[in-house]
């Protein structure tokens, strides 16, 4: 489920629709949680579908570390890619804002950690990276780990409207990380090598 202070809005002809913040979302906010309504598909299930369903799933799913395809049931499926993303995934089935997100600003992910099947050339944002590759997680995980760790320090300080959707195990993990009883796992855990 996507953060409730968001809405779907047309961005441009190049990227189509995206998710816009309707209110201030501070750094450390959980911006998305994989919840019980999200659909999970195996490759064998997708292989049995017709081309229409395959094209929809190709556009709107990401793969988790087990190689399963996740289709978000709500607006979360419209979060666009950015090489300068303001949200990053964690190894705990939720995403976190790695900087403050202001009203009217688009929520974005770096698709490089979403286990894409094939490379694609993304919108030019003036960065050195121009193409998203299936193995970007192997190349950039240390940079992303630092950004996640910096945001994670604020997770208990900010209002968390999605906190009730986290599993008890995830809540326990967050508490252990915040009290120094556990290390924050690397985003590299999210990598699917298949």
């Amino acid at each position: 489920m996507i953060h409730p202070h968001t809405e779907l809005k047309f961005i441009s002809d190049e990227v189509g629709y995206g998710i816009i913040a309707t209110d201030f979302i501070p750094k450390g906010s959980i911006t998305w949680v994989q919840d019980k309504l999200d659909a999970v598909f195996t490759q064998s299930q997708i292989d049995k579908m017709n081309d229409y369903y395959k094209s929809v799933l190709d556009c709107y799913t990401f793969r988790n570390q087990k190689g399963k395809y996740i289709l978000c049931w709500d607006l979360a499926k419209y979060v666009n890619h950015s090489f300068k993303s303001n949200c990053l995934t964690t190894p705990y089935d939720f995403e976190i804002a790695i900087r403050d997100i202001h009203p009217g600003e688009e929520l974005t992910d770096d698709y490089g950690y979403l286990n894409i099947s094939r490379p694609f050339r993304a919108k030019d944002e003036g960065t050195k990276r121009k193409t998203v590759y299936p193995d970007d997680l192997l190349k950039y995980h240390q940079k992303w780990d630092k950004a996640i760790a910096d945001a994670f320090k604020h997770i208990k300080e900010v209002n968390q409207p999605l906190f009730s959707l986290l599993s008890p195990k995830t809540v326990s993990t967050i508490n252990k990380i915040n009290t120094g009883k556990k290390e924050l796992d690397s985003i590299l855990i999210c990598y699917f090598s298949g």
Side-chain angles (χ1 to χ4, degrees), residues 83 88 110 129 139-148 187:
F83 292 119
L88 285 173
D110 190 314
R129 288 174 66 205
K139 297 175 187 173
Y140 301 107
H141 70 274
Q142 292 176 330
K143 174 186 170 188
W144 293 333
D145 282 344
K146 288 179 186 174
I148 293 165
I187 192 175

Side-chain angles (χ1 to χ4, degrees), residues 24-180:
F24 179 65
I25 301 174
K27 178 179 180 175
S29 297
I30 294 170
T31 55
W32 172 81
V33 172
Q34 184 175 340
D35 67 29
K36 294 178 182 181
L37 295 179
D38 290 327
V40 180
F41 299 93
T42 64
Q43 184 64 58
S44 62
Q45 287 174 308
I46 293 172
D47 289 344
K48 294 174 186 172
M49 296 181 183
N50 69 37
D51 288 342
Y52 173 78
Y53 290 116
K54 287 178 183 176
S55 68
V56 170
L57 294 172
D58 185 54
C59 183
Y60 291 111
T61 62
F62 69 91
R63 279 191 297 179
N64 66 16
Q65 67 271 22
K66 296 175 184 172
K68 293 185 178 177
Y69 293 82
I70 312 301
L71 175 64
C72 299
W73 67 272
D74 67 349
L75 298 179
K77 64 181 158 280
Y78 293 102
V79 173
N80 287 315
H81 164 78
S82 174
F83 292 119
K84 302 175 185 179
S85 70
N86 50 27
C87 301
L88 285 173
T89 198
T90 69
Y92 314 112
D93 293 328
F94 69 84
E95 292 192 352
I96 191 169
I98 58 167
R99 61 175 175 77
D100 290 344
I101 303 171
H102 297 277
E105 186 178 355
E106 186 177 4
L107 276 70
T108 54
D109 286 337
D110 190 314
Y111 284 14
Y113 59 72
L114 294 178
N115 296 307
I116 60 170
S117 301
R118 60 193 173 279
F120 70 91
R121 189 155 180 87
K123 177 181 171 185
D124 188 349
E125 298 177 275
T127 61
K128 288 182 182 180
R129 288 174 66 205
K130 306 293 182 199
T131 302
V132 181
Y133 292 98
D135 64 350
D136 277 350
L137 192 47
L138 299 177
K139 297 175 187 173
Y140 301 107
H141 70 274
Q142 292 176 330
K143 174 186 170 188
W144 293 333
D145 282 344
K146 288 179 186 174
I148 293 165
D150 186 50
F152 216 90
K153 294 184 286 191
H154 305 283
I155 204 166
K156 291 292 218 160
E157 301 169 0
V158 299
N159 182 33
Q160 298 288 5
L162 297 178
F163 209 79
S164 66
L165 298 179
L166 299 174
S167 71
K169 180 181 177 185
T170 300
V171 171
S172 175
T173 299
I174 291 170
N175 290 333
K176 287 177 183 173
I177 292 167
N178 281 331
T179 57

